[in-house]
Amino acid sequence: MKKLLTLFGISLLALVLAVPAFAADKPIEVYINGSEVSFPAGSPYIKNNSVMVPFRVIFEELGLEVLWDANTGTVTGTSADLSISLKIGSTRATVNGTVKKLTAAPVSTGGTTYIPLRFIAEATGGTTVWAADTRSVEINTPEPSASDEAEIAAVIALAMQYCNEERAISFYSLMSSESDNADAVSNLNSFFQAYDFSDTINTLKVLNIQGDEATAYTLETSIWKGGYYYPDEKNEYLYSLVRTDGKWKISDVQLQKQTILLTREQGMTAAANVPQGDASNIKDQLSKYHEFLSTENVEGTLSMLSVFNSDTDADGKTALQSLFNSLDLRYTLDNSNIYYFTSDEAAVYTETTIKEAASGNSYKQTKIYIMSKADNGTWTIDNSFEISTEELKG
């Protein structure tokens, strides 16, 4: 559903900043079907992009009986038709005897064993949604009515179909809106003219139905086919729906997680026929951009962006200056490669080392920058996509 989200506009700060997740220090909150879960034995934390939680509480909250084998360091949760086992230090778990791969191995800290939350929630039939702005995880284990669930799934699937067929009016007929959609339809048609994607729903789960309101989760794949360049993605979305005159309609769509489908090998494969002058200008512009970030130069940083207007975007300057005041980061552009190129557009794969001055911690960040060529021949940044950010050890 990228087409719908793109219409909401590109955040200026999202283009500017390569701020890894370590900047936030708010405690992580966990909710199951809307009720907050308390963890008296220890606080949840993030490891390898997985939220880790004390095992006993989450097992019991999800209706599992708990078994602990101190000799082998194995935790097991069981119910009438389910058995889940995890072992400290191992990235292999079993679900009803079938071996599953974990993104993070269980660990023992201070007498408490921590396990990856998403794995347990999904193994028990639930769905997890991570809200980065509030640092919270919502686990839903719903039992919606079959008819409502089928209607909701059909509406979301039809919206996807209309997007792929580039039928803007039909698409907006599925949206809940109290205002005229004429402008929205016009904007979506403009988007269809600029971009060409093939979108697929891989997973769709209705999370909750309460009266005439519902939420649903999707995992979607978006493959670029033509028009302005956009990297292929696999994204998780949270849909909000309302029932109006007996029909379910989409009221909101929020991106929960974005995964860029580009390998390092693909990113480091050079595009063919890139003129030397353009290649040099793109490299120089990206080097300046990272230098401006490191020196906390607001005007310089924003001048690298295609969407910035120095005369009108005072809010952008204020927000960026505020962020510079709260963080002290140094950026080193280690690698860059133009892997997609036309006469007026380029996609650049980059690897950057980010050092946090206060702690001395360093991080490797991999990103894609989409750049365009201005009439004066200068390349500026249109958009950016984070592939990964990992802490460097040692």
Side-chain angles (χ1 to χ4, degrees):
M1 204 53 58
K2 182 196 308 104
K3 297 178 179 67
L4 179 60
L5 294 176
T6 303
L7 298 179
F8 299 156
I10 298 174
S11 166
L12 184 63
L13 289 183
L15 286 180
V16 170
L17 297 171
V19 179
F22 61 79
D25 56 4
K26 183 180 180 295
I28 296 172
E29 298 174 342
V30 177
Y31 297 84
I32 296 179
N33 295 330
S35 298
E36 185 172 2
V37 179
S38 177
F39 295 95
S43 299
Y45 67 97
I46 294 177
K47 175 186 177 184
N48 293 343
N49 293 322
S50 294
V51 175
M52 307 292 288
V53 297
F55 81 94
R56 184 174 297 276
V57 170
I58 203 65
F59 272 21
E60 292 176 346
E61 289 287 341
L62 291 172
L64 301 175
E65 293 186 12
V66 179
L67 298 174
W68 163 248
D69 188 334
N71 294 326
T72 61
T74 300
V75 297
T76 302
T78 61
S79 65
D81 57 359
L82 182 65
S83 177
I84 306 171
S85 293
L86 306 92
K87 185 176 181 179
I88 293 174
S90 175
T91 56
R92 289 176 174 268
T94 61
V95 179
N96 287 344
T98 301
V99 176
K100 302 289 187 179
K101 179 73 172 177
L102 300 175
T103 57
V107 297
S108 180
T109 303
T112 298
T113 297
Y114 290 80
I115 59 176
L117 177 61
R118 178 185 286 266
F119 175 81
I120 299 301
E122 294 181 350
T124 56
T127 301
T128 60
V129 177
W130 166 256
D133 54 344
T134 60
R135 285 175 61 82
S136 64
V137 182
E138 176 70 41
I139 300 173
N140 288 282
T141 57
E143 295 182 1
S145 67
S147 60
D148 279 334
E149 184 173 345
E151 290 175 14
I152 290 168
V155 168
I156 295 174
L158 190 57
M160 176 74 73
Q161 177 184 327
Y162 288 156
C163 273
N164 285 329
E165 295 173 353
E166 300 189 350
R167 298 167 58 184
I169 294 177
S170 297
F171 175 82
Y172 270 102
S173 71
L174 303 177
M175 302 296 127
S176 171
S177 176
E178 297 180 356
S179 59
D180 185 2
N181 286 326
D183 289 342
V185 168
S186 176
N187 290 337
L188 185 54
N189 277 323
S190 297
F191 183 86
F192 287 151
Q193 292 175 5
Y195 296 94
D196 188 10
F197 297 98
S198 176
D199 294 331
T200 303
I201 298 177
N202 306 105
T203 303
L204 194 160
K205 294 182 180 179
V206 177
L207 304 179
N208 186 38
I209 299 176
Q210 293 185 340
D212 291 330
E213 298 182 353
T215 55
Y217 160 89
T218 64
L219 174 64
E220 304 177 11
T221 300
S222 181
I223 304 299
W224 176 73
K225 295 172 61 179
Y228 290 121
Y229 178 77
Y230 206 101
D232 296 344
E233 300 175 322
K234 183 168 286 188
N235 297 324
E236 297 179 34
Y237 294 103
L238 188 65
Y239 285 75
S240 298
L241 302 97
V242 295
R243 182 159 37 199
T244 304
D245 297 328
K247 294 183 178 180
W248 287 102
K249 293 197 172 186
I250 299 168
S251 58
D252 188 34
V253 183
Q254 294 184 7
L255 176 65
Q256 300 297 309
K257 181 180 180 182
Q258 179 186 53
T259 302
I260 302 299
L261 303 178
L262 184 80
T263 65
R264 187 178 192 276
E265 180 181 2
Q266 292 170 326
M268 291 300 291
T269 300
N273 303 319
V274 181
Q276 184 59 45
D278 288 317
S280 297
N281 185 261
I282 288 171
K283 183 176 181 179
D284 290 344
Q285 288 292 91
L286 285 176
S287 295
K288 288 180 183 177
Y289 174 72
H290 286 84
E291 180 182 345
F292 287 144
L293 285 173
S294 293
T295 57
E296 300 183 351
N297 184 328
V298 172
E299 289 284 351
T301 300
L302 295 177
S303 71
M304 297 289 104
L305 307 182
S306 307
V307 298
F308 178 69
N309 186 323
S310 60
D311 296 327
T312 61
D313 203 344
D315 290 342
K317 294 181 184 178
T318 301
L320 182 56
Q321 184 62 65
S322 176
L323 195 61
F324 281 155
N325 292 341
S326 63
L327 298 173
D328 192 3
L329 306 177
R330 298 294 178 265
Y331 298 78
T332 302
L333 182 61
D334 302 314
N335 292 303
S336 65
N337 177 65
I338 303 169
Y339 71 91
Y340 171 83
F341 182 83
T342 66
S343 60
D344 57 1
E345 187 182 30
V348 189
Y349 176 93
T350 66
E351 295 174 339
T352 303
T353 298
I354 305 174
K355 185 172 183 179
E356 189 180 23
S359 67
N361 294 336
S362 293
Y363 302 80
K364 179 181 179 180
Q365 186 172 76
T366 305
K367 294 190 76 171
I368 296 170
Y369 288 94
I370 310 300
M371 304 183 69
S372 61
K373 189 176 183 179
D375 292 339
N376 63 5
T378 300
W379 289 83
T380 53
I381 298 170
D382 287 347
N383 208 343
S384 66
F385 302 87
E386 180 180 341
I387 298 176
S388 65
T389 299
E390 300 176 355
E391 184 174 2
L392 298 175
K393 305 297 183 181

